[in-house]
């Protein structure tokens, strides 16, 4: 099983700041990585797939990068609605799909 | 717009069974693979199972293999998850989620239901 490790566990920032979230895979997942945002009481929302492709309707302030084992989700300038939990997910080893443990992005 | 609506959750004793349903609208249901993903209270996401667009291919997480069965009825735009031999560790919100790609499964989930809570407790 491919283990995805996200860091940091919690990130405290202010609106307008830049957020950088990391996801590291225990072995190469090539570019087969997605990012999701989840707010309390809601289902996750797909943000990024194949490491760097924004999903439909996702604002341009969200961007993804990386390949192999190291990936980054960047939010260029935080809006109040961006404070949430973010998960990475790999599909390289399908059907053994795995998610990271999540990064909580909180208001400082 | 795309809507996925889960139902069938509830409280069940260990060892018993439960069947979840997921009704879809706003998509050509028969063109997409559909997944079940679960989330234990206060925990992260765990992929559970997938069924191909035509129902011919099914895959399961090791944690549920042999106990859970995924199925679909394309004439009713409905997905099912039959859960047998339930354990305390199956307690979670169960989401159905649409695969991003048409026909061939991409294993990315672009639309999700609101989830249904399954609690396994005596």
């Amino acid at each position: 099983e491919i283990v995805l490790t996200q860091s940091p566990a919690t990130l405290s920032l202010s609106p307008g700041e830049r957020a950088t979230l990391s996801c590291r895979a225990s072995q190469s997942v090539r570019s087969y990585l997605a990012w999701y945002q989840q707010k309390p009481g809601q289902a996750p929302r797909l943000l990024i797939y194949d490491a760097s492709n924004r999903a439909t309707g996702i604002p341009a302030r969200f961007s993804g990068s990386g390949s192999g084992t190291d990936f980054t989700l960047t939010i260029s300038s935080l809006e109040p609605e961006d404070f949430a939990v973010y998960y990475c997910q790999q599909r390289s080893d399908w059907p053994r799909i795995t998610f990271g443990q999540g990064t909580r992005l909180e208001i400082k | 717009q795309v809507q996925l609506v889960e139902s069938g959750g509830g409280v069940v004793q260990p060892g018993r069974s439960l069947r979840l349903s997921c009704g879809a609208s706003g998509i050509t249901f028969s063109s997409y693979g559909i997944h079940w993903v679960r989330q234990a209270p206060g925990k992260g996401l765990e992929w559970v199972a997938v069924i191909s667009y035509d129902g011919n291919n099914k895959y399961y997480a090791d944690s549920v293999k042999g106990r859970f069965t995924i199925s679909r009825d394309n004439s009713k735009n409905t997905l099912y998850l039959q859960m047998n031999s339930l354990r305390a560790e199956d307690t979670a919100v169960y989401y159905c989620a649409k695969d991003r790609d048409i026909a061939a499964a991409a294993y990315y989930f672009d639309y999700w239901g609101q989830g249904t809570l399954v609690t396994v407790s005596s």
Side-chain angles (χ1 to χ4, degrees):
Chain A
E1 173 182 294
I2 296 177
V3 176
L4 299 178
T5 302
Q6 293 187 239
S7 62
T10 303
L11 184 58
S12 299
L13 294 170
S14 300
E17 291 193 292
R18 181 185 188 89
T20 303
L21 287 68
S22 174
C23 177
R24 175 163 289 177
S26 59
Q27 63 190 77
S28 176
V29 298
R30 294 173 282 177
S31 293
Y32 296 130
L33 189 107
W35 290 93
Y36 297 84
Q37 176 194 69
Q38 187 177 33
K39 297 179 181 179
Q42 296 185 17
R45 177 173 71 144
L46 177 65
L47 300 175
I48 302 287
Y49 65 94
D50 286 344
S52 60
N53 295 305
R54 271 191 303 277
T56 303
I58 301 304
R61 65 180 181 274
F62 291 91
S63 63
S65 62
S67 65
T69 61
D70 290 295
F71 299 85
T72 300
L73 174 70
T74 301
I75 310 172
S76 59
S77 179
L78 285 165
E79 297 287 340
E81 62 267 27
D82 297 336
F83 293 91
V85 178
Y86 291 84
Y87 294 96
C88 57
Q89 173 239 324
Q90 66 80 23
R91 55 141 286 190
S92 175
D93 191 29
W94 74 269
R96 287 170 291 276
I97 304 303
T98 51
F99 291 87
Q101 84 282 10
T103 288
R104 181 178 305 277
L105 178 57
E106 64 176 27
I107 299 176
K108 188 173 182 179
Chain B
Q1 76 276 20
V2 179
Q3 261 202 315
L4 299 171
V5 180
E6 302 93 338
S7 60
V11 180
V12 60
Q13 293 178 328
R16 304 298 291 265
S17 299
L18 203 62
R19 188 177 84 154
L20 306 182
S21 300
C22 168
S25 60
I27 59 170
T28 305
F29 183 73
S30 60
S31 295
Y32 293 93
I34 309 289
H35 304 255
W36 287 101
V37 178
R38 69 184 181 183
Q39 186 169 36
K43 302 297 184 183
L45 301 165
E46 180 188 15
W47 177 82
V48 172
V50 62
I51 186 167
S52 61
Y53 68 100
D54 57 3
N56 287 338
N57 295 295
K58 306 173 186 180
Y59 299 99
Y60 300 90
D62 288 344
S63 58
V64 307
K65 201 173 295 182
R67 300 188 299 123
F68 289 12
T69 302
I70 190 171
S71 61
R72 66 190 297 161
D73 185 338
N74 284 345
S75 69
K76 295 182 178 179
N77 287 357
T78 303
L79 171 78
Y80 303 100
L81 185 67
Q82 178 66 43
M83 303 185 295
N84 298 333
S85 303
L86 282 161
R87 306 166 179 168
E89 54 264 35
D90 295 318
T91 294
V93 173
Y94 285 73
Y95 297 100
C96 58
K98 170 189 163 293
D99 196 279
R100 186 188 167 275
D101 277 4
I102 195 165
Y107 288 85
Y108 296 133
F109 320 117
D110 62 350
Y111 288 96
W112 299 61
Q114 84 290 350
T116 188
L117 176 61
V118 173
T119 302
V120 183
S121 173
S122 54

